[in-house]
Amino acid sequence: MPYNAELAEIALTIARRAAELAWQRRAEGVEVAASKSSLSDIVTRADQEAEKLIRDALAAARPADGFLGEESGGGSGSSGLTWVVDPIDGTVNYFYGIPAYAVSIAVVEGEPDPRTWRTLAAAVVNPAAGEAFTAFEGGGAKLNGRPLHVKSDTDLALALVGTGFGYDSEKRVRQAKIVTELIGRVRDVRRIGAASLDLCGVAAGRLDAYFERGLNPWDHAAGALIAREAGATVGGLGDAPATSDLIVAAEPGLYAQLNPLLQELYADWR
Ligand code: IPD
C-alpha cells in the first residue's frame, strides 16, 4: 500500500474508535468539563477522553511522529510528520445532541502550521450519521469507501454557502455582518456547526462553498484535504493559504467568483 494510503488507514481506524467512544458517551449523557476562550466555548469529558484515546493510539502506531490536539496541545516528534487532531469537532452540537459532530484526524508534513504544512492523509468520522470521510494526497476523497466529487459549474448567485462563527462575542458580531452582506448574493447560507463537516460537505456536493475566519488548525486540517481531493480549491483570501485568517473552499469556478467577493467584504476587517 502506498505510504499516504497507509497513513489514511491509520487515521480512519483511530478516528472510528474515538467516534465510537464519543457516541457511547453521548448516549450516557454529556458532561461539560470546562470552558475555554469564552463561556460558550466548552470542552466535554468526552472531548478529553477521545483525545487521550487518539493520542495513545498514535503514540503506539507512530511513535516518531508529533501531535497537535485541540484539548491536550502539542508534542514534537522526529519523523517530520505531525498528527493534527480535533477529538470532537462540533462540540456544541455534541452537547445538544445535534447529529453533526465528528472526530477529525489529519497527518501533515513540515511544521504543523497551515501556512506551510503539506497534508498527507485525513479522516473525518461522524458517528451520529454513520459517515466516514477519508482522503490521502493524490488518492482522491471517499465517503464510506465511495469516491467523492464536488459539484461543478455553480453560479455564485445559486450557491449554497456554509460558514461558521467563533466563540468570541465581538468577533461573532463582525462575522455575522459579513454574512449579512453575502446572503443577498447567494442561494442561501448554512451554519452547520462543525468546520470539518462543512469541508466534507463541499467534498460531497452538500454545500457549494464554505468559508470561515478564525479556525484553529485542527478544525480544518483533515476537512481541507478531503475537500481538495474531491476537486475543490481550498485557500485563504486572494492567493494566501488557508489559515486562521480565512479558509475558503469551493469548486474552482465558484471559488474564482467567491474569493474576490470575500476580499471585498473582509477589506475593512482589522
Ligand atoms: C468549532 C466548529 C464550528 C466553527 C468554530 C469551531 P469545536 O470547533 O468547527 O463549526 O464555527 O469556529 O471552533 O469548538 O466544535 O471543536
Side-chain angles (χ1 to χ4, degrees), residues 43-103:
V43 50
T44 69
R45 296 250 179 268
D47 284 270
Q48 295 169 331
E49 251 190 282
E51 184 152 320
K52 183 171 178 341
L53 181 155
I54 297 165
R55 198 166 184 157
D56 291 350
L58 285 170
R62 302 277 313 172
D65 297 350
F67 183 88
L68 177 63
E70 175 168 24
E71 312 306 342
S72 63
S76 54
S78 56
S79 65
L81 303 191
T82 302
W83 293 84
V84 183
V85 170
D86 192 341
I88 302 179
D89 181 39
T91 307
V92 174
N93 285 345
Y94 182 71
F95 184 53
Y96 280 83
I98 297 170
Y101 56 88
V103 177

Side-chain angles (χ1 to χ4, degrees), residues 36 40-42 47 70-71 86-94 101-102 163-167 172 175 191-198 210 212-216 218-220:
K36 298 188 286 185
S40 53
D41 184 6
I42 52 169
D47 284 270
E70 175 168 24
E71 312 306 342
D86 192 341
I88 302 179
D89 181 39
T91 307
V92 174
N93 285 345
Y94 182 71
Y101 56 88
T163 192
F165 303 99
Y167 291 108
R172 296 167 68 80
Q175 288 172 314
R191 196 291 193 247
I192 289 166
S196 59
L197 293 177
D198 289 315
Y210 165 71
E212 184 165 348
R213 188 181 171 93
L215 287 186
N216 289 300
W218 44 80
D219 295 317
H220 65 87

Side-chain angles (χ1 to χ4, degrees), residues 93-248:
N93 285 345
Y94 182 71
F95 184 53
Y96 280 83
I98 297 170
Y101 56 88
V103 177
S104 172
I105 301 182
V107 59
V108 304
E109 189 178 69
E111 285 301 306
D113 177 340
R115 280 173 302 184
T116 53
W117 73 26
R118 179 171 157 212
T119 311
L120 302 183
V124 171
V125 177
N126 174 356
E131 292 191 328
F133 297 86
T134 52
F136 62 87
E137 195 188 50
K142 290 183 176 161
L143 165 55
N144 292 345
R146 288 189 312 277
L148 287 179
H149 301 288
V150 290
K151 276 208 185 125
S152 56
D153 298 332
T154 307
D155 192 61
L156 182 60
L158 296 177
L160 185 61
V161 181
T163 192
F165 303 99
Y167 291 108
D168 176 272
S169 59
E170 191 240 336
K171 284 192 193 134
R172 296 167 68 80
V173 170
R174 299 183 75 188
Q175 288 172 314
K177 284 186 181 147
I178 303 270
V179 174
T180 306
E181 295 293 324
L182 183 76
I183 198 163
R185 310 204 206 177
V186 297
R187 184 192 294 273
D188 207 348
V189 170
R190 292 287 179 273
R191 196 291 193 247
I192 289 166
S196 59
L197 293 177
D198 289 315
L199 288 159
C200 291
V202 172
R206 295 171 183 172
L207 288 175
D208 294 308
Y210 165 71
F211 74 97
E212 184 165 348
R213 188 181 171 93
L215 287 186
N216 289 300
W218 44 80
D219 295 317
H220 65 87
L225 180 68
I226 292 163
R228 192 173 285 130
E229 285 293 330
T233 301
V234 182
L237 266 196
D239 294 335
T243 63
S244 63
D245 281 348
L246 194 75
I247 183 165
V248 190

